[in-house]
């Protein structure tokens, strides 16, 4: 199963040249770029771990690509995404995010059905990776 989260997630994997072009696009608009990683890509898991601080003052796409590669080297079997922040409205709002690294095997999710009182049926999504191994050892 291929996780589809963020911009470009339904397209084939982006090459480093394409990733750099997207970073250049972000920098041209004055957005700050950050790098995040996780081993739990649940759709509601919006709080991925930061790889370093967001690069608010960095305007060199080559330097950001070096950080992306360093994150890949450190976490080769994690999901890694690049996020762009727009601070023009006084808050840091994510305006673009896309995955730049995936684990070799993506186990996927299962749908869990629970019957509640009053004939209510609730559904939840659970990751196979989260159930099979503890945090830090999932991939």
């Amino acid at each position: 199963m291929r996780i589809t989260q963020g911009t470009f997630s339904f397209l084939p994997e982006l090459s480093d040249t394409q990733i750099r072009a997207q970073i250049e696009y972000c920098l041209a608009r004055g957005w700050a770029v950050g790098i995040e990683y996780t081993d739990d890509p649940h759709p509601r898991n919006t709080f991925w771990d930061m790889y370093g601080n967001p690069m608010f003052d960095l305007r060199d796409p080559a330097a950001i690509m070096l950080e992306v590669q360093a994150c890949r080297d450190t976490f080769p079997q994690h999901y890694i995404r690049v996020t762009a922040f727009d601070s023009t409205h006084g808050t840091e709002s994510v305006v673009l995010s896309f995955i730049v690294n995936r684990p070799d095997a993506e186990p996927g999710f299962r749908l869990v059905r629970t019957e509640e009182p009053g004939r209510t049926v609730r559904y939840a999504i659970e990751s196979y990776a989260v159930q099979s191994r503890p945090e830090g050892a999932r991939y």
Side-chain angles (χ1 to χ4, degrees):
M1 175 180 182
R2 187 169 190 273
I3 300 299
T4 53
Q5 294 181 21
T7 310
F8 315 121
S9 63
F10 290 94
L11 298 174
E13 297 300 320
L14 297 178
S15 68
D16 283 353
T17 303
Q18 292 169 323
I19 293 168
R20 182 184 170 122
Q22 292 305 317
I23 291 172
E24 289 171 356
Y25 175 86
C26 296
L27 296 177
R29 278 144 189 79
W31 299 339
V33 176
I35 301 170
E36 301 175 326
Y37 65 94
T38 189
D39 63 353
D40 179 15
H42 189 285
R44 292 191 177 161
N45 177 15
T46 57
F47 299 106
W48 292 24
D49 295 306
M50 295 286 306
Y51 185 79
N53 293 321
M55 295 166 260
F56 294 107
D57 56 349
L58 193 55
R59 296 285 157 228
D60 181 10
I64 295 173
M65 285 302 296
L66 285 174
E67 289 296 311
V68 168
Q69 190 55 49
C71 188
R72 285 175 174 163
D73 293 341
T74 306
F75 301 103
Q77 293 301 314
H78 283 65
Y79 291 89
I80 300 172
R81 71 180 174 196
V82 171
T83 56
F85 303 92
D86 181 8
S87 63
T88 58
H89 300 291
T91 60
E92 293 298 326
S93 301
V94 175
V95 291
L96 177 70
S97 72
F98 55 96
I99 295 175
V100 297
N101 193 74
R102 298 170 183 274
D104 293 335
E106 297 183 75
F109 296 91
R110 72 181 182 139
L111 187 64
V112 178
R113 176 184 164 146
T114 306
E115 295 187 18
E116 305 281 331
R119 301 182 71 161
T120 302
V121 178
R122 300 200 187 272
Y123 294 93
I125 300 172
E126 293 180 354
S127 170
Y128 289 122
V130 171
Q131 292 185 355
S132 65
R133 295 187 189 122
E135 183 177 358
R138 293 184 180 141
Y139 296 103

